[in-house]
Amino acid sequence: MLRKYIIPLITVSLLLLGQSVANSYVSVKGVIPNLALIALVFFSMQNGPMSGQISGFFSGLIQDFISLSPLGFHAAVKTLIGFLSGLLHGNVFSESIFFPFLFIVIANLLRLILLGIISFLFPLPVDFKLFSFSFLIETGITALLAPFCFALLRKLYSVKRRKTL
Amino acid sequence: MRRILLFLKNHRNGSVLALLLLICCFMLFFRSGRQLVLPQQVGFSFFSFFQNAFHAIGNWTGETVNSIQKLKEMQDENQDLRKKLIKYRGMEREMIALRQENAGLRKVLKISEELQLLHISAQVIARDPENIFNTIVINKGLVDGVKKGDPVISVENGIRGLVGKVHSVGLTNSSILPITDENCFVAVRLFESRFQGLAHGQGKSGKIEVNYIKKRARDSLVKGDLVVTSGLASSDFPAGVFVGRVDHVQVKDYETSINLILDPVVSISKLEYVYIIKKEDNAP
């Protein structure tokens, strides 16, 4: 319970809160790496879809609390990202450098597509462009950091190595 | 019933996913206006405590590292300043004359009278974690007398410009809806020609759009013209606060009014300190 649900949730939530504060200090062109997304994808891949969707739901809810977004907006997006990342549990070799990079690029793309779908279904004035300059910077920085973050999280989380299928 | 239970047991992941998404849809569907009011305020108050803690840790670490380096820099600076002091003493006399001239000009323009507003000063401590919304979080809340809808201004290059209004209030923190947000509407007028309009943000572009300006205003408009709040009785915003500078004009032949696109007077992305304006009867 603690390892599968509480630690991922606390880690992702703390990174989100840290991001919101760091945004004022260390942003590049108004953008900072989305470390919370990296952590969510990592923990979901380690623990499976159930842990992923629950961590995603509650961390998304926290994000809704601290931003101008309506309640449930980020919660829905993060639940789906957590669930889909969890489906990769045990099916991929996440210890290589390339895969974390690829997963985060896909997850970030998926995040924006889901945000677009939800803001279309529940008419919300969310103004973002899928292939805007800031999105490319954010995706680039986040994806470049992903292999290092995965390695660090794996070490801290002391995950036993899983063999690829 | 047994079949349903068996189905749920066999599809545990899918069932939980469906349940969580249903909760999200429920919250999104039944939001009042843009937000669920009470749970959001409670949650905001709770998590703003952690934001404060992060902000304090970040400040402390930054200041400690900086202070060592600053000590060395200050020694060098001290030497330079001693030299400069001699130079500035000469300039002081000139400055006194300029101050007197400035005071005279201010009287003529009555700027000081227009903008003597009761305010609460606050520091920006957090922003949106993912840059999707234009969230700005400040370190003043209910206990400091901040109320939902209070106008927020900032000073940049000596000009008091509109930042937005208080969107939600926590115990010790508040979030601001900036003027660049699509949901922030302000009654404005052109500073020179006094034509009135309604301004709202354009979202991520960081610009402000003003609608319903009479077509007659077009002749007297120049790029860089200032737009100020009109302070209509129904508006939360005081009159005479600068909103933006005209960037370009949009004219459509079939419409009776023109649209203006403004550059905000204050840089929302660089804000560090803001002032929450209080009406005299609401002052803390």
Side-chain angles (χ1 to χ4, degrees):
Chain A
M1 176 76 177
L2 179 81
R3 198 176 153 74
K4 215 172 171 183
Y5 297 101
I6 308 291
I7 291 176
L9 176 60
I10 289 173
T11 311
V12 177
S13 306
L14 287 179
L15 284 169
L16 265 176
L17 291 166
Q19 258 171 242
S20 73
V21 173
N23 209 339
S24 302
Y25 301 102
V26 290
S27 62
V28 181
K29 300 266 177 196
V31 170
I32 53 166
N34 199 338
L35 300 181
L37 182 74
I38 297 177
L40 177 64
V41 172
F42 171 81
F43 286 118
S44 304
M45 285 173 62
Q46 297 296 337
N47 298 321
M50 184 61 84
S51 164
Q53 63 195 0
I54 287 174
S55 310
F57 176 76
F58 285 106
S59 61
L61 213 54
I62 289 169
Q63 191 171 348
D64 289 330
F65 282 139
I66 61 169
S67 81
L68 291 175
S69 59
L71 221 52
F73 183 70
H74 287 108
V77 173
K78 296 238 148 107
T79 303
L80 283 164
I81 290 177
F83 176 77
L84 294 172
S85 307
L87 293 178
L88 298 172
H89 172 61
N91 293 323
V92 288
F93 187 61
S94 66
E95 292 174 20
S96 79
I97 290 177
F98 178 68
F99 280 120
F101 180 89
L102 182 71
F103 294 149
I104 293 304
V105 170
I106 295 170
N108 218 14
L109 198 66
L110 186 69
R111 178 175 70 93
L112 281 199
I113 292 169
L114 290 172
L115 287 172
I117 292 171
I118 292 172
S119 53
F120 174 75
L121 291 176
F122 299 90
L124 298 166
V126 181
D127 177 34
F128 62 89
K129 289 172 185 131
L130 195 57
F131 296 106
S132 64
F133 186 58
S134 60
F135 166 72
L136 290 175
I137 293 179
E138 188 192 321
T139 308
I141 298 173
T142 310
L144 283 173
L145 285 175
F148 303 103
C149 293
F150 266 56
L152 184 71
L153 285 168
R154 198 179 297 118
K155 202 166 187 181
L156 294 173
Y157 200 53
S158 62
V159 172
K160 284 181 184 174
R161 289 178 173 245
R162 290 188 171 83
K163 289 181 181 174
T164 48
L165 293 173
Chain B
M1 187 67 185
R2 192 178 291 171
R3 271 187 176 179
I4 296 169
L5 286 173
L6 196 68
F7 178 83
L8 291 176
K9 201 176 176 183
N10 289 338
H11 300 84
R12 220 173 53 153
N13 285 336
S15 310
V16 172
L17 177 71
L19 179 71
L20 293 177
L21 290 178
L22 205 67
I23 294 169
C24 293
C25 290
F26 183 80
M27 288 189 289
L28 283 166
F29 193 75
F30 288 101
R31 69 190 192 278
S32 68
R34 254 187 99 201
Q35 305 267 338
L36 266 173
V37 181
L38 191 61
Q40 184 117 19
Q41 279 177 344
V42 173
F44 180 68
S45 295
F46 179 74
F47 290 107
S48 62
F49 169 77
F50 293 99
Q51 279 184 315
N52 271 335
F54 271 96
H55 177 68
I57 293 166
N59 261 358
W60 182 83
T61 314
E63 279 169 14
T64 308
V65 173
N66 283 342
S67 60
I68 297 164
Q69 197 189 341
K70 270 188 181 169
L71 196 67
K72 173 78 180 73
E73 286 171 7
M74 279 169 73
Q75 279 181 332
D76 299 337
E77 205 180 329
N78 191 21
Q79 297 289 330
D80 290 342
L81 287 172
R82 279 174 190 275
K83 288 174 192 168
K84 281 180 183 172
L85 185 64
I86 299 162
K87 187 181 158 191
Y88 286 139
R89 273 183 184 152
M91 287 168 74
E92 194 186 4
R93 285 180 218 107
E94 196 181 334
M95 206 182 84
I96 290 166
L98 284 169
R99 266 193 186 159
Q100 285 169 346
E101 189 186 345
N102 189 16
L105 287 169
R106 274 179 183 274
K107 261 185 192 172
V108 174
L109 292 168
K110 293 182 181 175
I111 286 175
S112 57
E113 285 172 16
E114 272 184 38
L115 293 174
Q116 273 185 1
L117 305 161
L118 283 167
H119 65 265
I120 302 166
S121 56
Q123 190 181 3
V124 174
I125 59 159
R127 288 173 186 276
D128 195 276
E130 288 186 354
N131 283 307
I132 300 290
F133 290 86
N134 303 307
T135 320
I136 298 169
V137 181
I138 55 169
N139 66 345
K140 293 286 162 73
L142 269 176
V143 292
D144 305 290
V146 180
K147 286 182 182 161
K148 188 177 176 173
D150 282 348
V152 182
I153 66 164
S154 181
V155 179
E156 195 171 299
N157 300 325
I159 295 177
R160 293 187 191 192
L162 189 69
V163 172
K165 62 180 175 183
V166 175
H167 177 265
S168 55
V169 187
L171 212 57
T172 56
N173 288 31
S174 308
S175 67
I176 299 170
L177 183 70
I179 178 68
T180 51
D181 192 284
E182 287 168 330
N183 290 290
C184 193
F185 291 87
V186 188
V188 295
R189 67 164 78 234
L190 290 163
F191 188 64
E192 292 288 333
S193 58
R194 314 306 282 174
F195 282 100
Q196 294 193 22
L198 185 67
H200 66 90
Q202 281 197 324
K204 284 282 166 204
S205 71
K207 304 259 184 190
I208 301 163
E209 188 176 328
V210 184
N211 307 125
Y212 313 118
I213 298 270
K214 289 213 167 99
K215 260 190 176 166
R216 279 182 291 145
R218 187 180 164 189
D219 302 330
S220 57
L221 270 171
V222 181
K223 186 175 178 176
D225 271 0
L226 280 162
V227 174
V228 296
T229 51
S230 65
L232 286 175
S234 57
S235 169
D236 290 330
F237 300 93
V241 178
F242 292 103
V243 177
R245 287 190 172 86
V246 176
D247 181 43
H248 63 273
V249 184
Q250 292 176 338
V251 186
K252 287 170 187 162
D253 290 339
Y254 54 86
E255 283 183 354
T256 55
S257 59
I258 56 172
N259 297 336
L260 305 180
I261 306 299
L262 313 180
D263 286 320
V265 166
V266 290
S267 313
I268 303 290
S269 58
K270 292 178 189 166
L271 282 176
E272 287 181 45
Y273 294 92
V274 294
Y275 305 94
I276 302 140
I277 305 299
K278 303 298 297 177
K279 286 178 189 166
E280 297 211 12
D281 51 337
N282 284 343

